Amino acid sequence: MSVVVIVGAQWGDEGKGKIVDVLTEKADAVARYQGGHNAGHTVVINNEKFVLHIIPSGILHKGKACIIGNGVVVEPKSLIEEMDGLTKRGIDVGENLFLSKSSHLIMPYHAAIEREQERLKGSKKIGTTGKGIGPAYVDKTARTGIRAGELLYPEIFKEKLKNNLEGINHLLKALYNATAFDVDEIYGEYMRYTERLSGYIADTDVIANKMIDENKNLLFEGAQGTLLDVDHGTYPYVTSSSAAAGGACTGLGVSPTKISSVVGIVKAYTTRVGEGPFPTEIKDSLGEKIREKGGEYGATTGRPRRCGWLDMVALRYAARVNGFSGIVLTKLDILDGIGKIKICTAYKHEGRLYEEFPKELNILEKCEPVYEEVSGWKENTAGLKSFEKLPSAAQAYIKKIENMLNVKVHIISSGQKRDELIILKEVF
């Protein structure tokens, strides 16, 4: 039995979807532990691209249990659309999908509030997707949220909805001069969703722990990445949930003592979407070249990702916070043809050298990266399936990452397709 947590080691978009898809072959269940439909996992199977937003990537494999945990916030309409989209493409979404009774629902007013908040912030906006993720987590913490299990009790659902809208409608009109919401309209809409989703709502913590007791292999996946974690990320330019490994336990109701290993997904360079500090960002034509070659556009929003060199200061921090057992290195092939590659080893700020990741936003925003330059390679690495076949400079780059991070690389992804992998050590 193994319980493996897959964690994004940077600002998300590291390629977790493909890796989860591959590892699902040896897993009995895949569980999503945080985030909402603002995330997007891209998987390519036989040249066919699948973009998943909230359903675990394991759904692309027959017979695998797929769990949406209590740490996830769920917008029912989006979930149903994703289910229908998969069904139309021949993917079975049946008895193998489970939605936690304790997952909080994203309501229409959450998206409205988020859009208005961002609008008022102007140049100081966070850069959210406007899908209501943050306000849904706010309500969860404020103990006014509505949970998926309450869809099964229409009277309770309507009473909570009515109570919430009394304050929210006042806020929308008085502060934002925005349109108010109608109780009966939302109630009718969500009861229609209930007809579709009621059979999937379950005690997912019981299901997950029972499978662990039966010595099954479980794979836990998060959305976003460590540097977007609400506690450990570049606050306030973060997501609203615990994207780091610790979030897997609270987001699924599984004890830390049950976790076998934590695998960090590391892109061979660094990207981030939206606002916030990014010390190693490349702001010239090379950054644009990497973006185009790597297809660095949001799977959910289409927003262009900012691209930069590999940041070892941030990665060492992520390794410490998560306790990586090993890492998966993705998108190595995007660096093909770059003559010199830079690795950030430290930051400088006002004459001081920082080898540890600063918590202060005012420092991080003004840090200058200290680079070590290494040789690039001209050869094509895309699709290679053996470490020995990689160019010597690419091998040296990988070994340098291992030495600087003090964590071994278990898998190298050499392309988008499911089979474009170099397996150095089995995760399960």
Side-chain angles (χ1 to χ4, degrees), residues 2 193 242 323 388 395:
S2 292
Y193 298 150
S242 298
E388 289 71 26
Q395 292 185 28

Side-chain angles (χ1 to χ4, degrees), residues 4-8 31-35 68-72 137 140 220-226 229-232 239-256 259 262 321-323:
V4 178
V5 181
I6 297 293
V7 181
R32 169 85 175 271
Y33 63 82
Q34 52 81 219
I68 300 172
N70 58 273
V72 180
Y137 278 113
K140 176 179 179 176
F220 295 166
E221 64 167 335
Q224 291 93 30
T226 303
D229 183 280
V230 69
D231 286 298
H232 303 292
T239 194
S240 302
S241 56
S242 298
C249 298
T250 55
L252 291 167
V254 172
S255 167
I259 306 299
V262 178
V321 167
N322 293 294

Side-chain angles (χ1 to χ4, degrees), residues 2-6 258-263 323-326 427-428:
S2 292
V3 178
V4 178
V5 181
I6 297 293
K258 303 295 185 182
I259 306 299
S260 307
S261 61
V262 178
V263 177
F324 292 146
S325 312
V427 173
F428 281 112

Side-chain angles (χ1 to χ4, degrees), residues 395-413:
Q395 292 185 28
Y397 183 61
I398 293 163
K399 289 174 182 177
K400 192 166 195 67
I401 292 170
E402 288 183 326
N403 291 335
M404 296 178 83
L405 198 57
N406 197 28
V407 179
K408 289 293 185 182
V409 174
H410 288 177
I411 299 172
I412 300 163
S413 175

Side-chain angles (χ1 to χ4, degrees), residues 274-287:
E275 309 299 322
F278 187 2
T280 67
E281 184 173 7
I282 304 170
K283 297 182 179 181
D284 57 21
S285 59
L286 179 58

Side-chain angles (χ1 to χ4, degrees), residues 133-364:
I133 311 296
Y137 278 113
V138 168
D139 277 6
K140 176 179 179 176
T141 305
R143 298 168 300 217
T144 59
I146 301 175
R147 304 200 290 183
E150 286 161 337
L151 289 172
L152 306 178
Y153 302 91
E155 291 183 4
I156 293 174
F157 175 85
K158 191 169 188 178
E159 183 65 23
K160 293 192 75 170
L161 175 62
K162 181 181 177 182
N163 290 340
N164 284 356
L165 282 182
E166 285 179 2
I168 284 165
N169 279 339
H170 177 74
L171 175 70
L172 287 170
K173 288 188 287 187
L175 182 59
Y176 301 122
N177 193 29
T179 305
F181 287 91
D182 180 74
V183 172
D184 291 328
E185 187 176 327
I186 295 178
Y187 174 76
E189 178 186 356
Y190 274 64
M191 286 302 102
R192 289 193 294 274
Y193 298 150
T194 303
E195 292 175 10
R196 285 291 311 278
L197 296 177
S198 59
Y200 299 96
I201 298 172
D203 289 311
T204 55
D205 59 316
V206 175
I207 294 169
N209 280 287
K210 186 171 184 267
M211 294 186 78
I212 292 171
D213 291 340
E214 293 171 350
N215 291 319
K216 306 278 183 151
N217 287 335
L218 277 76
L219 193 60
F220 295 166
E221 64 167 335
Q224 291 93 30
T226 303
L227 300 179
L228 291 176
D229 183 280
V230 69
D231 286 298
H232 303 292
T234 50
Y235 189 90
Y237 297 99
V238 293
T239 194
S240 302
S241 56
S242 298
C249 298
T250 55
L252 291 167
V254 172
S255 167
T257 61
K258 303 295 185 182
I259 306 299
S260 307
S261 61
V262 178
V263 177
I265 313 300
V266 178
K267 194 177 285 185
Y269 47 99
T270 310
T271 63
R272 84 169 292 171
V273 172
E275 309 299 322
F278 187 2
T280 67
E281 184 173 7
I282 304 170
K283 297 182 179 181
D284 57 21
S285 59
L286 179 58
E288 294 173 8
K289 179 181 177 182
I290 292 172
R291 180 187 300 119
E292 293 304 318
K293 187 177 180 182
E296 297 296 353
Y297 295 89
T300 299
T301 63
R303 290 187 296 177
R305 297 172 187 147
R306 300 152 65 192
C307 299
W309 297 113
L310 193 65
D311 187 336
M312 294 306 302
V313 182
L315 275 179
R316 287 195 299 265
Y317 172 63
R320 185 175 71 248
V321 167
N322 293 294
F324 292 146
S325 312
I327 62 172
V328 176
L329 189 68
T330 65
K331 292 202 167 184
L332 180 71
D333 56 303
I334 306 304
L335 298 181
D336 293 355
I338 297 177
K340 293 292 182 180
I341 295 173
K342 295 180 180 180
I343 302 174
C344 175
T345 59
Y347 302 148
K348 271 187 179 179
H349 178 260
E350 295 184 350
R352 178 179 170 183
L353 191 69
Y354 288 81
E355 294 185 342
E356 296 292 344
F357 195 71
K359 306 296 191 301
E360 302 91 342
L361 189 72
N362 58 304
I363 294 176
L364 194 59

